[in-house]
Each structure stands twice: as structure tokens, then as C-alpha cells.
Amino acid sequence: MTCQARSSYITSEILWGYRFTPVLTLEDGFYEVDYNSFHETYETNTPVHSAKELAEMASRAELPLTWSVSSKLDQHAELETEEEEKNQEDQNERNGDVANLENE
């Protein structure tokens, strides 16, 4: 059977770094719900700052919060293009020297 649930919480009800205690257990092939611990929570290992706080700190410092893989790949491609252009210029110079020797 499909079950859907919808929840809504106000700011004061949200606990940073906590999870709900599991209430569902499987006993003798049947699921059992323990409603006594329905509202209980426990602390988990969570980052000190929320994503919102990290974004605010990054904007205050005017530093990028993250970098994208594509931007790093673009930089790598630009470096390769510059190296290819330099190699082509070197090759043209060497070809020009040979051509100049032949003309003399």
C-alpha cells in the first residue's frame, strides 16, 4: 500500500543536527510502531554551519562558495590551446628558417 505524508514546521521547531528516533521495527514478520518515542530526537554528527550560513560567509568574503568542474576543464582546455599555439609558432619559425636557407 502506498502512503504519503506531508509535514510543515515553523523555525522554532527545527533542531539543527538532530534526527527523529526510529519508531518502526520489524518483529516476528510484522512491523510495529512505537508511538511512545514518536517525538524523540537524537543528536547527529552535523557540520557547524548551515548551507545558508556558509553562503552568507562566502558572500561577505566575496569568495566563490564552490567551483564548477566545467570551469576547471575550461581553464585546462585554454592552457592546452595556448601550448598548441606556441608549438605551432615554434614549428612555423623552424619551417621559416628552413625556407630562408633554401632561398639563400
Side-chain angles (χ1 to χ4, degrees):
M1 181 168 73
T2 302
C3 178
Q4 294 183 356
R6 182 177 283 184
S7 305
S8 179
Y9 301 97
I10 59 174
T11 306
S12 62
E13 293 175 324
I14 298 172
L15 300 175
W16 179 255
Y18 286 80
R19 291 186 182 263
F20 285 108
T21 303
V23 295
L24 194 62
T25 58
L26 182 61
E27 294 186 21
D28 299 326
F30 295 96
Y31 287 103
E32 188 172 301
V33 179
D34 179 12
Y35 289 105
N36 293 323
S37 59
F38 191 76
H39 295 288
E40 290 179 13
T41 59
Y42 63 96
E43 193 170 3
T44 61
N45 186 12
T46 307
V48 177
H49 299 286
S50 68
K52 179 182 177 184
E53 291 169 333
L54 289 173
E56 288 171 354
M57 288 188 294
S59 67
R60 275 189 242 125
E62 296 182 4
L63 298 172
L65 183 58
T66 60
W67 56 270
S68 68
V69 172
S70 61
S71 67
K72 291 293 183 187
L73 293 175
D74 292 342
Q75 290 174 1
H76 184 68
E78 288 175 12
L79 291 174
E80 286 181 349
T81 304
E82 290 173 7
E83 288 176 9
E84 288 173 5
E85 289 173 357
K86 184 178 179 186
N87 290 340
Q88 185 64 34
E89 288 174 7
D90 291 344
Q91 185 66 33
N92 289 342
E93 286 178 15
R94 278 188 247 124
N95 289 342
D97 291 342
V98 171
N100 288 338
L101 290 174
E102 289 176 356
N103 290 337
E104 292 177 358

